[in-house]
Amino acid sequence: MARASESHAHSAIPAESGWYVEAMEGLVGVVQELSHARSLDKITEITRHAARRLTGADGATFVLRDGDQCFYADEDAISPLWKGRRFPMDICISGWVMLNAEPAVIDDIYVDPRIPADAYRPTFVKSLAMVPIRRGAPIGAIGTYWAVKRMPTPEEVSILQALADTTSVAIENVTLFDELQRNVKALEESNYELSRFAWVASHDLQEPLRTIHTQLELLQAKNLGPLDEAAHNRLRLVKDGTSRLRHLIQSLLVHARAERMEATGPVDMAEIAKGIVTDLGTQIEETGAEIVIGDLPTVIGDPVLLGRVLQNLISNAIKFQAPGSRPSVKIDSKRSGDEWVISVTDNGIGIEPEFQEKIFGHFQRLHSQEKYPGAGLGLAVSKKALARHGGRLWVDSTPNRSSTFYFSLPTAPHGAEG
Ligand code: ADP
């Protein structure tokens, strides 16, 4: 109580109220506790204890307005009061406090006409102080009770009112927090629905597309002779269109898969890289590309997503070349702290420094379809897929010489992310 004597010298706090300083200090602790409360139950629990402790009363109640009734939600007292009971607003003192939005301070409850004496007779209560929660339009009340006849002091009432005001803010916070939680949940659900829809739609779209593609190839092969050049060109355009559509759909699938990230396990990146080189056979043959696969680690993740990342980077490395140049691509890795960093280096056209960030955005492309076909989604979905693994994707490039795309993955399994 060192502060009490200091306070006497220069504040308006009365000399006899050493406990008032103590109560104020206690109130600061309660304010902190209330600021962390995330439910009405927790607020009730904190407040009922605090009301009794701060005022030194023999009992305290936490009352909530429930329509035209007062609900005695909780209590902390030397013997039972009215916990769990409801009384009409117009016959009980907590109702009076709420309806009038002002405190009630009573030294002898049996002579005050606002008190329903019958309800009090079985209890220890002789005197009380009660304050409204939320002074504008009260939503509840806090009551404190004494087993002896005494007039509660103005300081006790002011501490109690300060507690009620803090409680009111805490209740408002909980209401807002609940609302926020509900909105976040609704958003997560709709996000999940959307990604599921994108997945199903893109999955189902692949089937007819595959048929169109195959039929076109057959048509092209069979009618190569009799078709004139214009028809031949048309066929080629349709085929290019379907390839782009397929590319787009695959990117959508990866995007939706990354959103859900369900299947994770050990992924041997060297095996994945070899499989991709086989899959890219035609592109490699046509360009005469040389692909070197260095030492690659086994990581924990989704094999389909990580395969897609590597495939996007390797096929870009082969694609973004000056006309006539022979692609040379090296896939390598090194350990850096608790991450693996995998790199794909090419000898291609490179990327100007001012575009080295931009290319990771959705639908961002630096060249025309005629020059370098593509959808502008590969890097964006790769970045997303890696983020879901706790990894990053970045580039280091010298224009007209080479680019190295790096991606990192944690060496330890990445915890499921929301
Ligand atoms: P797409 O390849 O379908 O255009 P990406 O998202 O994979 O889409 O790439 C976005 C853009 O980044 C490309 O259009 C290209 O301009 C640039 N880019 C990607 N990889 C390379 C690379 N290895 N060398 C040069 N530019 C690249």
Side-chain angles (χ1 to χ4, degrees), residues 164-360:
D165 292 346
T166 313
T167 303
S168 152
V169 173
I171 291 176
E172 223 140 276
N173 281 348
V174 162
T175 315
L176 285 175
F177 184 74
D178 279 354
E179 202 174 311
L180 203 76
Q181 293 281 84
R182 268 199 305 279
N183 288 345
V184 167
K185 201 160 176 291
L187 223 90
E188 274 174 0
E189 274 166 14
S190 97
N191 222 344
Y192 183 84
E193 276 302 305
L194 217 74
S195 79
R196 167 129 197 95
F197 174 76
W199 194 80
V200 172
S202 40
H203 190 262
D204 288 3
L205 274 171
Q206 285 205 116
E207 188 51 41
L209 196 62
R210 224 175 274 136
T211 315
I212 297 172
H213 202 77
T214 318
Q215 292 306 321
L216 271 174
E217 269 180 348
L218 286 173
L219 204 67
Q220 206 174 22
K222 275 194 185 153
N223 294 299
L224 211 57
L227 275 186
D228 64 13
E229 206 187 320
H232 198 61
N233 271 344
R234 280 210 184 91
L235 265 184
R236 192 179 47 77
L237 283 176
V238 176
K239 244 187 89 184
D240 286 354
T242 56
S243 300
R244 273 172 51 203
L245 207 55
R246 195 169 52 180
H247 192 74
L248 255 167
I249 289 171
Q250 278 169 351
S251 299
L252 262 174
L253 268 171
V254 173
H255 203 276
R257 194 178 171 108
E259 195 62 56
R260 299 187 301 153
M261 249 297 263
E262 279 160 3
T264 60
V267 183
D268 182 342
M269 293 303 280
E271 277 305 309
I272 296 260
K274 278 185 219 153
I276 291 166
V277 170
T278 310
D279 288 349
L280 293 177
T282 322
Q283 201 186 352
I284 292 173
E285 236 168 70
E286 279 172 8
T287 56
E290 178 202 29
I291 315 276
V292 179
I293 303 175
D295 279 341
L296 296 183
T298 291
V299 295
I300 300 293
D302 177 334
V304 176
L305 289 181
L306 294 178
R308 219 55 225 176
V309 170
L310 210 50
Q311 167 149 3
N312 284 338
L313 298 184
I314 298 172
S315 70
N316 277 353
I318 301 171
K319 180 166 72 171
F320 292 104
Q321 293 282 334
S325 108
R326 182 172 173 226
S328 169
V329 181
K330 170 110 203 242
I331 305 138
D332 215 343
S333 74
K334 69 174 173 29
R335 185 154 176 167
S336 167
D338 50 8
E339 285 184 333
W340 285 110
V341 176
I342 299 176
S343 56
V344 178
T345 304
D346 64 44
N347 59 336
I349 57 171
I351 302 153
E352 298 290 338
E354 65 264 37
F355 298 124
Q356 290 181 9
E357 278 290 319
K358 189 181 164 191
I359 52 170
F360 295 101

Side-chain angles (χ1 to χ4, degrees), residues 152-170:
T153 67
E155 291 144 358
E156 284 164 349
V157 178
S158 98
I159 286 277
L160 203 57
Q161 188 61 67
L163 175 66
D165 292 346
T166 313
T167 303
S168 152
V169 173

Side-chain angles (χ1 to χ4, degrees), residues 329-407:
V329 181
K330 170 110 203 242
I331 305 138
D332 215 343
S333 74
K334 69 174 173 29
R335 185 154 176 167
S336 167
D338 50 8
E339 285 184 333
W340 285 110
V341 176
I342 299 176
S343 56
V344 178
T345 304
D346 64 44
N347 59 336
I349 57 171
I351 302 153
E352 298 290 338
E354 65 264 37
F355 298 124
Q356 290 181 9
E357 278 290 319
K358 189 181 164 191
I359 52 170
F360 295 101
H362 289 98
F363 302 107
Q364 295 298 334
R365 314 195 61 253
L366 306 180
H367 312 278
S368 66
Q369 281 299 335
E370 290 70 38
K371 226 169 160 190
Y372 297 104
L377 280 174
L379 293 178
V381 295
S382 298
K383 193 171 173 173
K384 179 175 177 108
L386 288 165
R388 298 294 285 183
H389 286 78
R392 290 162 293 124
L393 173 64
W394 68 100
V395 69
D396 185 9
S397 178
T398 310
N400 302 316
R401 184 173 299 179
S402 81
S403 303
T404 300
F405 281 84
Y406 297 95
F407 63 92

